[in-house]
Amino acid sequence: MIYAELAGGLGNQMFIYAFARALGLRCGEAVTLLDRQDWRNGAPAHTVCALQELNLSPEVTICSEPGFAKQHLPRQNAAKALMIKYEQRRGLLARDWHRWEQRCAPLLNLLGLHFATDGYTPVHRGPAKDFLAWGYFQGEAYFADFAPVIRQELRAKQPPTGPEADAIRTAAYPVALHLRRGDYCKPENEILQVCTPAYYARAAAAVAAAHPEATVFVFSDDVDWAKEHLDTAGLPTVFLPRGDAVGDLNRMALCRGFILSNSTYSWWGQYLAAPGRAVWAPDRWYAHTKQTALYQPDWQRIETR
């Protein structure tokens, strides 16, 4: 059995699903996602599981039993805990420690664990009866061989409806602009503070030059701030009221162009869109030296400084 622990918000949960599902398809095994319910006691590592609203495969189950990994996967869970403690003590969270995790991967895979918090680290199933995945697995390389399946299963069960969806469908060239503030503005998340108003202004100007017929649809967790600070290069702009995570992502994916924030949420918006979409993305994903495997070759990178 392949197990994967859920972490983060919807965007990260979707990457974890995609990684585990693709590994299960390669190995011919069922997958169980572990919903640790950490949000109930205020832990920041995992928010409410929202995957049930997506078109998930029946071969993937979600387990909400507290402490499941500790009880049923003690060897893998102990190795995971040691990796986390080491990285925290070494202060690696604000640095590029991808090579360290790559060096550890072969041994951890033999023990039945794949631990990859950043970048692309190839996985080898190994001989262990049960296999635990812990990390964010942020990159299409983890599931590119099953991309059509992943796209189908990570779309919402219901197509988007309502006036906002209708406005996007009828626009000549709808562009989704995602602006994330919220937790990104906290001092402890300084590494994520990349996408400034200047970045969005440059990206909007690039959109206007390429598609003067575009309409910008702004998706944000701080709509009032966006209305006050965003410069959309004179393009018609619609500020959408904030809805639920799946519903907003569903509407975002209707667009043809995308101005991304450095967020996995908007990454999935562009990935689930129809073929032929265009993407304008920040040229840095982190404020420090960390690298990412999220960039795709056809994206246009916009200066953030």
Side-chain angles (χ1 to χ4, degrees):
M1 174 73 75
I2 293 170
Y3 298 90
E5 291 197 61
L6 293 175
L10 178 62
N12 283 330
Q13 292 172 32
M14 292 168 72
F15 270 112
I16 294 165
Y17 176 95
F19 167 85
R21 173 67 168 140
L23 182 60
L25 288 169
R26 289 186 210 109
C27 300
E29 291 185 69
V31 170
T32 295
L33 302 177
L34 303 180
D35 177 11
R36 299 175 302 173
Q37 301 278 300
D38 291 359
W39 58 274
R40 293 185 181 277
N41 58 20
H46 175 33
T47 55
V48 178
C49 180
L51 292 175
Q52 293 96 332
E53 297 179 47
L54 305 180
N55 191 33
L56 305 185
S57 167
E59 296 177 7
V60 177
T61 59
I62 299 177
C63 171
S64 299
E65 180 183 335
F68 181 94
K70 186 176 182 179
Q71 181 177 356
H72 298 282
L73 306 165
R75 181 178 59 185
Q76 294 91 333
N77 191 69
K80 175 199 76 177
L82 287 173
M83 288 289 290
I84 293 172
K85 288 180 181 179
Y86 178 83
E87 293 186 352
Q88 288 175 338
R89 289 174 180 173
R90 295 281 293 177
L92 297 180
L93 299 183
R95 294 157 50 192
D96 187 1
W97 70 97
H98 179 227
R99 291 183 180 178
W100 154 253
E101 293 185 347
Q102 279 192 321
R103 289 197 298 269
C104 295
L107 175 59
L108 294 177
N109 288 175
L110 285 174
L111 294 174
L113 173 69
H114 193 59
F115 186 100
T117 55
D118 238 352
Y120 173 63
T121 301
V123 57
H124 300 283
R125 173 64 175 84
K129 177 183 176 182
D130 292 319
F131 195 84
L132 175 66
W134 193 92
Y136 294 104
F137 313 113
Q138 294 176 358
E140 188 190 17
Y142 284 113
F143 51 87
D145 48 340
F146 292 101
V149 174
I150 297 303
R151 282 190 172 97
Q152 175 60 31
E153 294 179 0
L154 289 181
R155 288 192 172 95
K157 293 178 181 178
Q158 301 298 326
T161 59
E164 293 89 1
D166 292 341
I168 294 172
R169 288 190 177 99
T170 57
Y173 191 85
V175 174
L177 185 156
H178 181 233
L179 188 154
R180 179 169 175 176
R181 284 175 54 78
D183 59 331
Y184 276 29
C185 295
K186 296 179 179 179
E188 61 267 28
N189 290 329
E190 181 183 5
I191 192 173
L192 300 172
Q193 296 169 17
V194 170
C195 295
T196 62
Y199 156 72
Y200 286 108
R202 293 188 193 102
V207 171
H211 298 279
E213 76 281 17
T215 298
V216 177
F217 292 87
V218 177
F219 296 80
S220 179
D221 57 2
D222 194 341
V223 177
D224 291 338
W225 191 96
K227 289 179 179 178
E228 183 177 351
H229 293 90
L230 278 184
D231 173 1
T232 54
L235 293 172
T237 303
V238 179
F239 293 88
L240 300 178
R242 186 180 184 185
D244 65 277
V246 170
D248 281 352
L249 187 65
N250 211 11
R251 285 182 282 274
M252 193 183 297
L254 292 174
C255 293
R256 296 176 61 191
F258 295 84
I259 297 176
L260 304 187
S261 65
N262 55 329
S263 167
T264 57
Y265 186 76
S266 51
W267 191 98
W268 281 105
Q270 64 84 32
Y271 193 74
L272 297 177
R277 93 283 179 267
V279 177
W280 293 264
D283 64 353
R284 296 182 300 154
W285 208 261
Y286 298 107
H288 299 327
T289 61
K290 288 174 63 177
Q291 301 299 309
T292 180
L294 287 167
Y295 286 111
Q296 297 193 285
D298 61 340
W299 289 7
Q300 301 178 52
R301 300 192 191 188
I302 304 297
E303 183 183 355
T304 57
R305 290 180 174 85

